[in-house]
């Protein structure tokens, strides 16, 4: 087994134990540059829209719950310009191997929190829509320091942990189990945020995760 595999195995163990795991330096440098220029381009083109809450067909924009702007990615449309999709495919494979899941798809968006915005405590599965298994966020904020806020607060059995949204930090967590929130960001806060999706299958089993 390669070293890299062993490291990911440890991360998967941690995720199973505490429902979340933090992975720093997730993307190679050139992919990170590619993401940032894609992100800048979408902002310039005014493609980020006020995010809604609720399942498709039932969406609502409620500023007092969630204040970010998003741009939904589409692999077929975006893969020539944005080179993250092989990494996401690899994550799906990794989860399927590690937990005998049958994840088969994902949905991701760019997210921008303007200064003063936040996302109140929630779960990433909502009524009528429970196929999100794993939440995955990669932060894209250079030179983020303490007073800038915008931490991801994850709720644990006893208390909580605040995770600063540092450049190239990836956080993975269980969409159905882990309550979390985004604390007020005092500077524009960027991420790629998404979900690995579970397609119900009669032969699938879901052990610890
Ligand atoms: C979400 C979410 C957390 C973050 O989009 O559902 O909780 O740190 N995002 O951006
Ligand atoms: Ni969330």
């Amino acid at each position: 087994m390669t070293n890299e595999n062993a490291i990911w195995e440890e991360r998967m163990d941690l995720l199973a134990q505490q429902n979340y795991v933090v992975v720093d330096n997730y993307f190679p440098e050139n992919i990170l540059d590619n993401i940032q220029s894609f992100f800048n381009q979408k902002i310039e083109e005014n493609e980020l829209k006020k995010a809604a809450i609720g399942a498709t067909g039932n969406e609502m924009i409620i500023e007092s719950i969630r204040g970010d702007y998003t741009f939904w990615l589409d692999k077929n449309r975006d893969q020539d310009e944005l080179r993250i999709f092989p990494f996401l495919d690899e994550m799906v494979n990794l989860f399927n191997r590690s937990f005998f899941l049958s994840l088969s798809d994902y949905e991701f968006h760019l997210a921008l929190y303007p200064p003063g915005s936040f996302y109140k405590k929630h779960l990433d599965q909502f009524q009528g829509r429970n196929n999100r298994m794993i939440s995955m966020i990669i932060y894209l904020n250079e030179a983020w320091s303490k007073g800038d806020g915008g931490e991801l607060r994850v709720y644990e059995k006893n208390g909580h942990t605040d995770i600063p949204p540092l450049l190239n930090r990836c956080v993975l967590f269980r969409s159905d189990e882990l309550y979390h929130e985004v604390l007020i960001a005092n500077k524009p806060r960027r991420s790629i945020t998404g979900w690995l999706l579970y397609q119900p299958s009669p032969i699938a089993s879901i052990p610890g995760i």
Side-chain angles (χ1 to χ4, degrees):
M1 183 191 291
T2 67
N3 199 24
E4 183 69 5
N5 280 344
I7 292 170
W8 272 102
E9 211 166 83
E10 269 175 40
R11 290 169 177 155
M12 293 293 119
D13 284 349
L14 206 52
L15 174 63
Q17 278 165 37
Q18 61 179 21
N19 286 340
Y20 73 93
V21 66
V22 178
V23 178
D24 282 323
N25 301 309
Y26 180 74
F27 285 120
E29 203 68 36
N30 61 326
I31 302 295
L32 206 54
D33 290 346
N34 169 251
I35 297 169
Q36 297 286 34
S37 20
F38 184 86
F39 211 123
N40 291 337
Q41 191 192 323
K42 293 302 160 196
I43 290 177
E44 268 167 39
E45 293 169 355
N46 232 347
E47 292 276 15
L48 279 81
K49 307 291 181 205
K50 201 98 203 41
I53 54 173
T56 310
N58 203 9
E59 304 105 324
M60 287 174 292
I61 292 174
I62 304 182
E63 200 109 10
S64 57
I65 296 180
R66 163 171 204 190
D68 57 330
Y69 289 72
T70 59
F71 174 77
W72 285 97
L73 301 174
D74 176 328
K75 183 175 174 178
N76 287 334
R77 184 193 58 203
D78 299 326
Q79 64 186 348
D80 292 341
E81 278 181 274
L82 181 64
R83 304 209 306 273
I84 62 167
F85 298 98
F87 293 86
L88 305 182
D89 293 335
E90 185 50 40
M91 290 309 290
V92 166
N93 292 336
L94 180 69
F95 274 94
N96 285 342
R97 279 200 310 271
S98 304
F99 298 112
F100 310 102
L101 292 172
S102 61
L103 303 173
S104 55
D105 202 3
Y106 46 72
E107 53 187 10
F108 275 79
H109 60 51
L110 309 181
L112 176 65
Y113 286 73
S117 61
F118 51 82
Y119 194 156
K120 290 279 191 209
K121 183 176 174 182
H122 64 280
L123 278 181
D124 283 351
Q125 286 195 344
F126 21 73
Q127 273 195 324
R129 176 72 209 278
N130 62 359
N131 64 334
R132 289 176 167 179
M133 293 299 292
I134 300 292
S135 304
M136 176 174 180
I137 308 170
I138 304 101
Y139 298 106
L140 303 168
N141 306 297
E142 276 163 56
W144 197 268
S145 48
K146 199 141 198 266
D148 296 334
E151 293 89 352
L152 171 68
R153 173 167 290 179
V154 298
Y155 288 87
E156 297 157 288
K157 267 194 213 90
N158 307 303
H160 59 251
T161 300
D162 290 343
I163 303 167
L166 304 184
L167 181 68
N168 213 7
R169 165 172 285 174
C170 169
V171 180
L172 296 158
F173 59 88
R174 280 186 62 154
S175 309
D176 60 335
E177 287 267 331
L178 192 84
Y179 276 94
H180 58 282
E181 78 177 284
V182 178
L183 303 183
I184 293 183
N186 300 316
K187 287 202 318 197
R189 173 195 194 266
R190 291 180 178 203
S191 62
I192 290 188
T193 299
W195 296 273
L196 309 185
L197 305 177
Y198 174 65
Q199 300 286 318
S201 145
I203 54 160
S205 66
I206 313 177
I209 187 149

